[in-house]
Amino acid sequence: MNDRNSMGELPHGRPPQTEFDTGLDYPRLGSVTFRRGTLTENQEKLFNDNWPRLGMVLSDQLIDFDAWFGRAGHPTIVEIGSGTGTSTAAMAVHEPDTNIIAVELYKPGLAKLLGTVVREEIDNIRMVRGDGVEVLARMIPDASLKGVRIFFPDPWPKARHHKRRIVQTGTLNLIARKLIDGGVLHVATDHADYAEWIDELVNAEPQLNFKGFPWEDSPIITDRHVITKFEGKGLDKDHVIREYLWVKES
């Protein structure tokens, strides 16, 4: 297969953006400029050999979880912005009965996660290359997810860029639509201003009951067993890690 999807390539130009009619706020992307980063020769071969089985590119086709993971009836969690996948892989081995879908735009990050998945024979991770909101809106069936994770999203610190932050009233509504009853949203940030932004939105979505953090009765893992790359940087700068948990209650 030589099409873009089989090689993990996104179409050129401005990424498509769903037009929502809810009257709520959604992150608006500008022109996406990918960070520099090329795959090594070994990464390239590993990616080309395994992406057609383990990865997808953003499309308008709903994902059939059972078919993709090759097993039926297992709960599914989507992680938005998986980066290099350090915490994704570490948590997945503690959740062998759960399907994990890692969503990321940055191909070298996906390549690193894919390499870990192949080397360590982790069979419950799949990957989608694309913007997280678009993947949720266009590829994830309603009322299908046990959990959504958003760990250390880009804080877009400049005021004029706040509209690009992923945590918005519309995103919370979209996530609630995708979660099953009892499903959990878990967000973490080490950026103080972003934490204040999220604090203003914790009760914005009627279907999401804010549980704070920690929440001992959470039905999904909330103890992120390893420190992520970005969290490590935050701790080095004495940043405070803030975490948030919501449960879907219709």
Side-chain angles (χ1 to χ4, degrees):
M1 297 175 65
N2 293 315
D3 60 18
R4 289 187 180 277
N5 184 56
S6 68
M7 306 309 291
E9 296 301 326
L10 292 168
H12 295 298
R14 186 187 180 96
Q17 295 189 71
T18 299
E19 292 298 325
F20 298 96
D21 60 2
T22 61
L24 301 173
D25 295 325
Y26 296 83
R28 296 290 86 184
L29 294 177
S31 296
V32 174
T33 301
F34 295 112
R35 293 169 287 171
R36 290 185 179 181
T38 56
L39 307 189
T40 66
E41 187 174 333
N42 287 339
Q43 281 182 320
E44 192 78 47
K45 184 179 187 309
L46 195 68
F47 194 94
N48 293 341
D49 288 346
N50 293 280
W51 180 260
R53 176 174 63 91
L54 298 174
M56 294 184 183
V57 169
L58 175 65
S59 72
D60 288 312
Q61 183 173 352
L62 291 176
I63 299 172
D64 181 333
F65 302 148
D66 290 353
W68 199 17
F69 285 86
R71 57 187 189 175
H74 289 255
T76 300
I77 290 174
V78 167
E79 181 176 347
I80 297 174
S82 54
T84 59
T86 303
S87 65
T88 311
M91 294 179 78
V93 299
H94 293 276
E95 304 169 297
D97 292 329
T98 299
N99 302 329
I100 309 295
I101 298 176
V103 179
E104 176 60 53
L105 276 167
Y106 188 50
K107 186 175 179 179
L110 288 168
K112 288 183 179 180
L113 174 57
L114 186 145
T116 301
V117 167
V118 172
R119 286 191 304 273
E120 299 184 11
E121 298 181 342
I122 303 172
D123 61 7
N124 62 326
I125 292 178
R126 301 292 185 270
M127 289 150 274
V128 178
R129 189 178 184 197
D131 171 68
V133 170
E134 293 303 316
V135 171
L136 284 174
R138 298 163 62 187
M139 300 185 74
I140 303 298
D142 289 351
S144 66
L145 297 178
K146 182 181 181 180
V148 173
R149 292 169 174 155
I150 307 174
F151 296 157
F152 305 95
D154 193 324
W156 293 108
K158 295 181 180 178
R160 68 176 183 272
H161 291 153
H162 284 181
K163 63 184 178 182
R164 298 185 181 183
R165 289 174 167 174
I166 192 168
V167 180
Q168 308 269 358
T169 55
T171 312
L172 293 172
N173 177 261
L174 175 63
I175 290 170
R177 205 171 83 216
K178 302 302 175 178
L179 288 171
I180 60 173
D181 284 342
V184 173
L185 168 61
H186 183 187
V187 176
T189 184
D190 67 344
H191 191 276
D193 182 59
Y194 204 168
E196 291 180 6
W197 172 277
I198 299 171
D199 287 341
E200 295 293 323
L201 296 173
V202 293
N203 295 312
E205 174 48 51
Q207 297 178 85
L208 293 178
N209 181 10
F210 181 57
K211 307 299 287 189
F213 189 89
W215 174 33
E216 292 183 0
D217 295 327
S218 174
I220 68 172
I221 290 177
T222 58
D223 177 11
R224 289 165 292 106
H225 297 271
V226 300
I227 294 176
T228 71
K229 176 181 177 182
F230 290 107
E231 183 172 356
K233 289 181 178 179
L235 293 175
D236 287 343
K237 298 176 182 176
D238 295 323
H239 290 189
V240 175
I241 308 300
R242 291 286 306 279
E243 307 209 32
Y244 302 82
L245 291 169
W246 294 260
V247 62
K248 163 81 172 287
E249 295 179 349
S250 299

